[in-house]
Amino acid sequence: MKYSSEFQSLCQIDKRKWILVVVLVAVTHLFCQTLMLSYGNALHSLLSENNIQLPEKVSLSSKESSVVESAKVGESFSGTLSSFDDVHMLAHRLKTVDNGDVSEDSEIDESVNEKDEVKPHSNHSVVKTMEIDSDFVEDATIENDNLFDEMVDMDEETTMQKNNESRWDLPIEQVVKTNGELSADSELDANRKSVLNDTKAASVPNSLSVVASNHLDNLSSVTIREINFIRTTGINSSTGDLTQLLPNHGNHSLVQSTVEKKMRCMLPPKTVTSISQMERLLVRHRARSRAMRPRWSSEHDKEILAARLQIENATLLRNDRELYAPAFRNMSMFKRSYELMERILKVYVYKEGEKPIFHQPIMKGLYASEGWFMKLMEGNNKFVVKDPRKAHLFYLPFSSRMLEHSLYVRNSHNRTNLRQYLKDYSEKIAAKYRFWNRTGGADHFLVACHDWAPYETRHHMEHCIKALCNADVTLGFKIGRDVSLPETYVRSARNPLRDLGGKPPSQRKVLAFYAGNMHGYLRPILLEHWKDKDPDMEIFGPMPSGVASKMNYIQHMKSSKFCICPKGYEVNSPRVVEAIFYECVPVIISDNFVPPFFGVLNWDTFSLILAEKDIPNLKGILLSIPEKKYLDMQLAVRKVQRHFLWHAKPVKYDLFHMTLHSIWYNRVFQTKAR
């Protein structure tokens, strides 16, 4: 009995010690959680996540409220990770909240997987469908997708997607902790700090702190996992209304204004490069080439360097029966360069690539420039050679418009697969031929008119000569190497010269004319200042549909002294060439836009290039131009018109030859000797 009582006493002591140890461990754990987590989360971290309930009701806005069914967070985590483009989609869906409208793009197609293979359409009827003429000219846009393409820097997007590919099959519980704290994944670097730095002011439960933070003013920091979390915890599927998860209306307004702030094409550029600065860049890049030195020497490089010497020492010409000297920066150099191009230039066109993305041109509509060049280049017997060893330049014959039409997943706001497709193509070329590797692609060129071409050709085609309609110096356009391609709206593929010309200056009674859709941020500003404000300024919004309206649009251009050419979603506009086509002096209003054939043409002689900030003073600027100067400008427009026309059979100095010459000219001044 004695030993038994002593043993029981010892056990009671040990039990008390164990209880004390457990209590100390629990207190220590609670204390550590308190230090690491926001106030109030420590106790919840010890409880089962299935017991954490969503709020029954959360205020929607100052006008209305919505009821959210209570749901268990643990039961709602059933999906796998989506791509980073959920950020784009969320932003677009939030854009419709204030007015209560739901756009077509706001519906997410859950059945589309980014990894699904999308096969190009091979039916020739696709091109015919794409060539359907519209009632009047509109800037390039694909179902409003351009609004959201640059919300997030594409370099960051690509990096995030690569980092997340290996985790797409993980359950979301392994990525987002129940207390709202992000898991310590390697991709969450300093550029993507969590939005949960301060949740003390949040009035919603901790499980929703991923989105209900006071730091939602930086939407770009919302990660893939957070967006997926939002989608699985009760956002209205039809509107994508984030306000159900926000504590008050103020945060809702903040989110919406932030989403709009992230749309690059809906805001003025952060930096502006003036025409004079562009000219200095051109001189600098001509004097100091940035192209890589070839890995081995070539006889063709020697021919190009010899041609450069002749161009730089060209005989001075003051007048020429074929060319209008004032319209050129240096007519003597241009003419000598053009003659040498006709005499020695040889181009190899790669046969690789399947239709419709390759070798299938679009001859009508907004993207006709790339199509006409492709057709005329591939069918040319003067410049094209069958043996690549004889070529000075190499042409990559793809259509950026057909690339978008064939591979882009509608409403996905994700163009990664388009860029990957061209990357695979360039790697195939580099593996099959040695010419790409010799110069890193510096003697290769592409011609693309779609707005997305700068992104699609980034990095893997970075050293190529790019002839682009979207010639924006803030999007990587390299002055002196790349070529600004005129965006031509071809109304008739059979007769691209239909309705050419306009009234003489004496019969042009309208001072300035513009009509078109309100794409981008600049056009609404133009209409705000000048629509129905002055009888001399015929500034309109969208014109009605129909043939009569189209002809009315054309007659306005034929009867106006100046045709206003404001930017749309991007810097380029088909109205620039349209104005020249109808012999109306173009007034280009687009910061950072490099005018077509900038390396050879002097745009001051036949156009006005104004800063966007000058819109309020537009009429005063136009009236300040003396009549004599206007007549000279209008004459110059008629003289340079030949350089902006397509012909079924190429004509000397026409748009085909001017494009090819600009590519040749830039290559001449970028070539380096081994």
Side-chain angles (χ1 to χ4, degrees), residues 4 17 24-25 38 68 94 152 168 275 280 308 351 361 373 380-383 412 452 462 476 554 564 605 639 642 658:
S4 176
K17 289 182 179 180
L24 289 175
V25 170
S38 304
V68 182
L94 287 176
V152 181
W168 280 4
I275 291 295
R280 289 194 293 269
R308 175 177 177 175
K351 308 302 180 185
F373 183 89
N380 192 286
N381 295 323
K382 182 176 182 179
F383 296 108
S412 68
W452 296 352
E462 191 60 33
I554 293 174
I564 312 301
T605 61
K639 292 293 186 180
R642 62 185 300 188
M658 288 294 291

Side-chain angles (χ1 to χ4, degrees), residues 308-430:
R308 175 177 177 175
L309 189 61
Q310 294 185 52
I311 294 170
E312 291 175 333
N313 296 279
T315 303
L316 183 62
L317 300 175
R318 297 190 180 276
N319 294 300
D320 189 89
R321 287 183 292 181
E322 294 183 300
L323 299 173
Y324 185 66
F328 291 88
R329 293 183 178 275
N330 190 318
M331 187 186 66
S332 302
M333 293 179 63
F334 170 79
K335 183 150 190 177
R336 185 56 179 154
S337 174
Y338 191 94
E339 292 171 349
L340 292 170
M341 177 193 74
E342 288 189 311
R343 191 172 73 190
I344 71 174
L345 176 61
K346 300 302 177 184
V347 178
Y348 179 75
V349 181
Y350 285 108
K351 308 302 180 185
E352 286 71 20
E354 298 180 357
K355 293 182 179 181
I357 297 175
F358 297 89
H359 314 291
Q360 186 164 302
I362 297 176
M363 308 298 290
K364 186 178 177 181
L366 281 171
Y367 309 99
S369 289
E370 66 181 24
W372 275 86
F373 183 89
M374 181 190 298
K375 180 181 179 180
L376 298 177
M377 186 77 259
E378 291 194 314
N380 192 286
N381 295 323
K382 182 176 182 179
F383 296 108
V384 175
V385 293
K386 296 182 179 179
D387 186 353
R389 294 172 295 180
K390 298 179 180 180
H392 301 87
L393 291 170
F394 300 83
Y395 175 42
L396 306 170
F398 74 92
S399 167
S400 59
R401 170 55 171 144
M402 293 307 300
L403 177 68
E404 173 271 328
H405 182 77
S406 302
L407 299 184
Y408 179 67
V409 179
R410 181 182 173 86
N411 299 331
S412 68
H413 311 296
N414 180 15
R415 301 167 294 165
T416 306
N417 61 324
L418 280 66
R419 184 166 68 175
Q420 184 63 41
Y421 189 87
L422 290 184
K423 182 176 184 293
D424 294 341
Y425 169 75
S426 62
E427 290 175 349
K428 179 180 179 181
I429 294 296

Side-chain angles (χ1 to χ4, degrees), residues 562 585-589 603-604 606-610 621-622 625 629 633:
F562 298 95
V585 177
V587 180
I588 302 174
I589 308 177
W603 280 79
D604 289 339
F606 58 91
S607 73
L608 284 178
I609 301 178
L610 304 181
I621 294 173
L622 299 181
I625 298 175
K629 183 177 180 181
M633 295 176 71

Side-chain angles (χ1 to χ4, degrees), residues 144 192 232 329 340 458 473 505 542 660:
N144 293 331
R192 296 204 175 273
T232 57
R329 293 183 178 275
L340 292 170
R458 191 184 299 176
V473 292
L660 184 60

Side-chain angles (χ1 to χ4, degrees), residues 204-338:
V204 293
N206 303 308
S207 60
L208 297 179
S209 60
V210 176
V211 294
S213 168
N214 289 335
H215 293 278
L216 277 169
D217 58 323
N218 186 4
L219 186 63
S220 63
S221 63
V222 180
T223 64
I224 301 169
R225 294 157 176 80
E226 295 169 312
I227 295 300
N228 201 39
F229 182 93
I230 294 171
R231 293 169 59 191
T232 57
T233 52
I235 288 186
N236 187 297
S237 60
S238 62
T239 62
D241 195 350
L242 186 62
T243 55
Q244 296 178 11
L245 303 179
L246 297 178
N248 53 54
H249 176 65
N251 276 353
H252 161 57
S253 302
L254 184 60
V255 170
Q256 179 167 343
S257 63
T258 301
V259 171
E260 294 178 352
K261 181 181 68 176
K262 295 300 179 182
M263 299 173 190
R264 179 192 56 80
C265 60
M266 297 303 294
L267 285 174
K270 295 180 180 179
T271 59
V272 176
T273 304
S274 65
I275 291 295
S276 59
Q277 291 174 318
M278 293 180 186
E279 291 173 347
R280 289 194 293 269
L281 287 173
L282 178 64
V283 173
R284 184 190 311 165
H285 295 165
R286 286 278 161 80
R288 185 176 55 197
S289 171
R290 294 177 296 174
M292 68 170 284
R293 197 172 301 278
R295 294 183 178 179
W296 60 86
S297 61
S298 169
E299 291 297 323
H300 302 308
D301 289 344
K302 296 178 182 179
E303 293 176 352
I304 293 177
L305 292 172
R308 175 177 177 175
L309 189 61
Q310 294 185 52
I311 294 170
E312 291 175 333
N313 296 279
T315 303
L316 183 62
L317 300 175
R318 297 190 180 276
N319 294 300
D320 189 89
R321 287 183 292 181
E322 294 183 300
L323 299 173
Y324 185 66
F328 291 88
R329 293 183 178 275
N330 190 318
M331 187 186 66
S332 302
M333 293 179 63
F334 170 79
K335 183 150 190 177
R336 185 56 179 154
S337 174
Y338 191 94

Side-chain angles (χ1 to χ4, degrees), residues 43-55 70-76 178 205-207:
L43 186 58
H44 284 300
S45 67
L46 297 178
L47 302 177
S48 172
E49 61 181 8
N50 292 332
N51 295 328
I52 303 176
Q53 302 290 327
L54 296 182
S70 56
K72 296 182 179 181
V73 175
E75 296 174 354
S76 64
T178 59
N206 303 308
S207 60

